[in-house]
Amino acid sequence: LKAVAKRWISEKQARSMLGKVGWATRPSGGAGAFMAGAHAALHKAQEGGGMIDFNAKLMKSVGTAVLLAHIPHSFKPVRTGGWTLFSDATEDGSRFRVGIVCLRGLYKLVLCPTWITSLQQAELFGIYLAAKLAIYIQRNAQVQSSQGGGVMIGTDSEVGRFQVLRTHAASPLGAQQRILRRMFRLRSWSGYSVGVFTVGTRYNPADPLSRVHEVGGKKAAKEKARGRIQEWQNLTDPYRYLSFLPPAHWRRH
């Protein structure tokens, strides 16, 4: 409230405020992505004159985290298992394309939105899309109960896997923060646990789908993906480094 009233706050005041809000949202499981703008402003102030303009954008960022910190938390056990999907991304002209494969026979190609401007962003976006796709299908088909379930996603992007499991990225990475906020909302709405594991590019069934124009079209990409699935299933440790995010603590009941 002091920051709102003053509009301009010092670097010291901002650091104190963000420390308190960060402590309040410690058990967040995703709220950190909403604080990225405030932390970026703090870093800028440290390099400049030391004052921060606490504008409407920062008010929304900090206010969202404060709101989440005051909603009663519900700590439920992690639901392991569930559908297995794979995602991968590649550059396609001036855009990026994501391929998604599900062990249940689903093959999907998605052209990333224009605000995705790097391959790493596209890899993270692919993980989010795979989770969203699986959760929507399962809920619409009532495969899982209303209490949620689990989804496991294989990726060859270690950076993307790390960002998903940490539920935040470096403050200047605006696109990644945007994707992680979407992941937070998806988990909060659905109650699902999202697991991410490592799969080498050679064995990733989604790789041919992302490179659909290079492999001779979608039919050829699907055939190659089926072959990759067989190779992946024959690995001694197919779900390598599998880790799960817990169900979102602020899920509505």
Side-chain angles (χ1 to χ4, degrees):
L1 291 176
K2 289 181 180 179
V4 173
K6 291 183 176 181
R7 177 64 186 268
W8 288 90
I9 59 176
S10 68
E11 174 192 335
K12 181 178 179 181
Q13 290 172 322
R15 190 183 301 110
S16 174
M17 176 186 66
L18 294 180
K20 292 175 182 177
V21 175
W23 179 87
T25 58
R26 272 188 309 186
S28 64
F34 293 91
M35 297 292 293
H39 284 287
L42 176 59
H43 293 157
K44 186 176 180 180
Q46 290 172 337
E47 298 172 357
M51 295 297 292
I52 295 176
D53 179 8
F54 198 72
N55 53 32
K57 189 174 182 180
L58 291 185
M59 291 179 196
K60 181 179 179 181
S61 171
V62 177
T64 300
V66 171
L67 174 64
L68 291 172
H70 286 80
I71 295 176
H73 294 17
S74 176
F75 296 91
K76 293 187 175 295
V78 174
R79 293 172 180 268
T80 58
W83 284 19
T84 297
L85 297 93
F86 303 86
S87 70
D88 201 6
T90 191
E91 191 170 355
D92 187 356
S94 60
R95 304 276 291 277
F96 294 88
R97 185 179 298 277
V98 166
I100 297 172
V101 173
C102 178
L103 290 185
R104 294 174 177 260
L106 177 69
Y107 304 87
K108 192 169 183 64
L109 300 168
V110 178
L111 191 64
C112 294
T114 55
W115 53 268
I116 299 291
T117 58
S118 74
L119 183 59
Q120 198 279 306
Q121 295 171 6
E123 294 277 12
L124 181 61
F125 190 66
I127 297 173
Y128 160 72
L129 283 182
K132 179 180 179 180
L133 186 65
I135 290 172
Y136 271 57
I137 291 175
Q138 291 184 71
R139 285 184 64 91
N140 288 340
Q142 295 183 339
V143 174
Q144 299 285 352
S145 72
S146 61
Q147 296 301 311
V151 177
M152 299 177 291
I153 303 163
T155 176
D156 54 23
S157 171
E158 282 299 292
V159 175
R161 185 177 74 90
F162 188 62
Q163 289 172 341
V164 169
L165 294 176
R166 288 187 64 192
T167 68
H168 67 88
S171 298
L173 304 179
Q176 285 88 334
Q177 302 291 352
R178 183 174 180 178
I179 297 166
L180 292 171
R181 287 193 292 270
R182 291 188 177 191
M183 180 71 84
F184 173 87
R185 296 185 185 104
L186 176 67
R187 293 170 51 238
S188 297
W189 162 76
S190 68
Y192 273 61
S193 296
V194 176
V196 190
F197 62 93
T198 296
V199 57
T201 302
R202 175 185 173 185
Y203 302 104
N204 191 345
D207 176 66
L209 268 293
S210 67
R211 297 184 296 105
V212 62
H213 299 313
E214 299 177 25
V215 300
K218 188 173 183 179
K219 184 176 180 180
K222 290 172 67 174
E223 287 299 320
K224 289 181 178 294
R226 294 188 187 101
R228 297 278 186 96
I229 290 174
Q230 292 297 323
E231 293 178 358
W232 171 79
Q233 290 175 330
N234 290 332
L235 293 174
T236 56
D237 186 16
Y239 291 95
R240 190 179 184 189
Y241 303 135
L242 174 63
S243 296
F244 275 87
L245 285 166
H249 303 318
W250 291 290
R251 180 173 179 253
R252 295 178 62 186
H253 297 282

